[in-house]
Amino acid sequence: MRELVNNIKNQAIASLSDASSLSELEILRIDIFGRSGKFTLASKELKNLKPEEKKEIGILINETKNTLETLFIEKKNELESNVRVWFDPTIPAIKRPQGRLHMITRAIDEISSVFEKIGFTRTRYPEVEWDYYAFGALNFPKNHPARDDWETFFIDEKDSPKYGPMLLTPHTSSGQIREMERLKGKPPIRMINLAKTYRRQSDASHIPMFHQFEGMVVDKDISVVNLKGTLDYFASNFFGKERVTRLRPYHFQFTEPSFEVDISCNVCKGSGCKLCKEGWLELGGAGMIHPNVLKAGGIDPNVYSGFAFGWGVERTYMMKEGLAVPDIRLLYSSDLRVLSQL
Ligand code: FA5
């Protein structure tokens, strides 16, 4: 048995030094260590030996195995370092996927910078808000049916004796009173409040979490003319030079008069087409700040007046890019097939 093991070892060492390729080495490995390899079969004989021989031959088998395995590894390394690596510099490189900011992050930056140029200050107010700032101080009487329009998420928390229920703010208008308070009721105010807003709505044109931007200006002698001028400035700087806005009478509890703002359609330039029907696309709400709201913010409505407007970032940006997104919820679906196109 000792002789058999030594023979296998010597033959293996000789063949190893002759092996000139990785495939030859693999054939040799199978011949020695494979399931029916010479060394494997010899090792199996160990159990048939007499006990006194078993120990000695067992040691020999172990040593031989270790020696041969080391030699195999060394030979493999040697052969691999000889393999020539072909490098063809004309093969096109693998294109790594490139990340970029989400469309809505880009929109937020763009919208803020348009308003910052004409002196608006970007603000952000709490997303988890009190009823007082979202409704109460905005001239909504308690249980007024108009509150239903906002389909608010309420927080399961004790009501504040002063501010009422806690909720997720359904619109950035909650920032109006907060900004008046921050400035201690002292105009001039030029605020652009851009933040996340929440409503219990989910369909092709509504998402439960979306973004709004709220403009507010308060000063002496502010009129609808200033509102219209600001909206037209935004329309031409954000959407394109020839775009203008139009105001339609509407109702909001916190503005008087109130308007819906439309922008001229860029496809038909206002004459009416399949996209817009009558030449105009709807953007959002606006109006002159209600005297009661100014009073709630500590501002005297007999001295000061102001305007405000609030639009959805998602819808505004989709309109700018002319994006035919069939379902607004796709914007937040994290589906790379969608995101890589935006
Ligand atoms: C408001 O939220 C008023 N606070 C706007 C306002 C501000 C009026 C200041 C007057 C003065 P409205 O509910 O219409 O208004 O929402 C404004 C815009 O938010 C909509 O035009 C739309 O673009 C966007 N919006 C509303 N709900 C959703 C929603 N669930 N998903 C996506 N966008 C929405």
Side-chain angles (χ1 to χ4, degrees):
M1 183 71 180
R2 171 187 290 279
E3 211 175 309
L4 174 68
V5 174
N6 281 331
N7 276 344
I8 293 172
K9 178 177 158 185
N10 292 336
Q11 270 177 23
I13 292 173
S15 309
L16 264 172
S17 75
D18 287 347
S20 59
S21 70
L22 286 167
S23 54
E24 274 180 38
L25 186 68
E26 179 60 8
I27 291 169
L28 186 57
R29 191 192 63 75
I30 293 169
D31 186 44
I32 309 285
F33 291 120
R35 217 188 280 171
S36 329
K38 291 187 184 102
F39 185 83
T40 315
L41 294 180
S43 312
K44 282 186 183 160
E45 289 302 313
L46 191 64
K47 63 178 184 300
N48 301 325
L49 296 179
K50 291 188 204 122
E52 59 269 28
E53 273 182 323
K54 241 187 204 168
K55 187 175 173 201
E56 190 198 330
I57 301 295
I59 292 171
L60 178 69
I61 284 181
N62 262 341
E63 282 173 0
T64 308
K65 186 168 181 247
N66 288 341
T67 311
L68 287 179
E69 277 179 349
T70 310
L71 290 172
F72 263 92
I73 291 171
E74 283 172 8
K75 187 71 185 183
K76 189 167 178 245
N77 289 343
E78 179 195 319
L79 290 170
E80 275 178 345
S81 66
N82 289 342
V83 174
R84 247 201 242 179
V85 180
W86 282 97
F87 174 67
D88 181 351
T90 63
I91 292 174
I94 299 165
K95 241 190 175 174
R96 302 259 167 244
Q98 194 167 16
R100 68 186 133 134
L101 294 175
H102 190 276
M103 167 195 135
I104 296 306
T105 310
R106 299 201 306 273
I108 288 171
D109 289 347
E110 230 177 282
I111 292 168
S112 334
S113 77
V114 170
F115 284 107
E116 277 162 12
K117 280 190 198 119
I118 50 169
F120 281 70
T121 302
R122 166 95 195 263
T123 64
R124 241 163 284 180
Y125 286 114
E127 288 172 32
V128 180
E129 190 46 289
W130 297 109
D131 175 282
Y132 172 78
Y133 289 102
F135 296 119
L138 294 180
N139 202 35
F140 284 84
K142 266 209 168 64
N143 305 324
H144 190 286
R147 287 187 183 208
D148 294 346
D149 292 347
W150 272 259
E151 300 194 43
T152 310
F153 287 107
F154 286 92
I155 306 276
D156 203 1
E157 188 54 56
K158 255 206 326 241
D159 286 8
S160 151
K162 193 166 168 199
Y163 298 117
M166 194 185 271
L167 42 81
L168 294 182
T169 197
H171 56 174
T172 42
S173 299
S174 54
Q176 291 189 13
I177 297 291
R178 286 204 175 263
E179 180 70 352
M180 292 180 203
E181 285 181 353
R182 183 179 78 83
L183 296 173
K184 303 196 168 46
K186 288 199 176 62
I189 298 175
R190 280 190 195 84
M191 165 191 92
I192 189 83
N193 181 32
L194 211 161
K196 289 197 178 85
T197 43
Y198 302 84
R199 293 185 193 183
R200 292 182 41 167
Q201 299 169 335
S202 182
D203 59 38
S205 54
H206 294 86
I207 19 178
M209 188 284 298
F210 58 105
H211 296 77
Q212 279 191 347
F213 61 105
E214 180 102 1
M216 176 173 74
V217 168
V218 183
D219 209 339
K220 284 182 180 151
D221 302 324
I222 296 292
S223 72
V224 177
V225 176
N226 302 106
L227 167 64
K228 181 73 168 68
T230 307
L231 299 179
D232 281 342
Y233 163 82
F234 177 72
S236 62
N237 278 273
F238 186 76
F239 290 102
K241 272 209 157 31
E242 70 294 349
R243 312 286 291 274
V244 286
T245 59
R246 139 181 120 165
L247 302 180
R248 266 184 298 118
Y250 199 68
H251 172 79
F252 290 105
Q253 201 63 27
F254 38 95
T255 46
E256 183 56 40
S258 302
F259 311 100
E260 284 247 281
V261 184
D262 297 336
I263 181 161
S264 55
C265 173
N266 62 330
V267 175
C268 63
K269 311 278 180 256
S271 60
C273 68
K274 249 205 321 217
L275 174 72
C276 64
K277 303 214 166 58
E278 291 174 355
W280 298 89
L281 297 159
E282 193 182 307
L283 273 180
M288 300 308 292
I289 301 172
H290 196 287
N292 289 351
V293 176
L294 289 173
K295 270 190 234 162
I299 294 176
D300 184 348
N302 295 317
V303 180
Y304 294 103
S305 54
F307 66 76
F309 55 88
W311 302 348
V313 171
E314 287 78 4
R315 294 217 200 134
T316 305
Y317 202 65
M318 281 160 68
M319 247 178 237
K320 171 185 166 117
E321 298 292 311
L323 295 176
V325 179
D327 189 322
I328 195 170
R329 292 169 293 192
L330 283 172
L331 298 183
Y332 295 110
S333 65
S334 301
D335 186 335
L336 284 179
R337 288 171 307 177
V338 178
L339 294 179
S340 59
Q341 294 177 55
L342 297 175

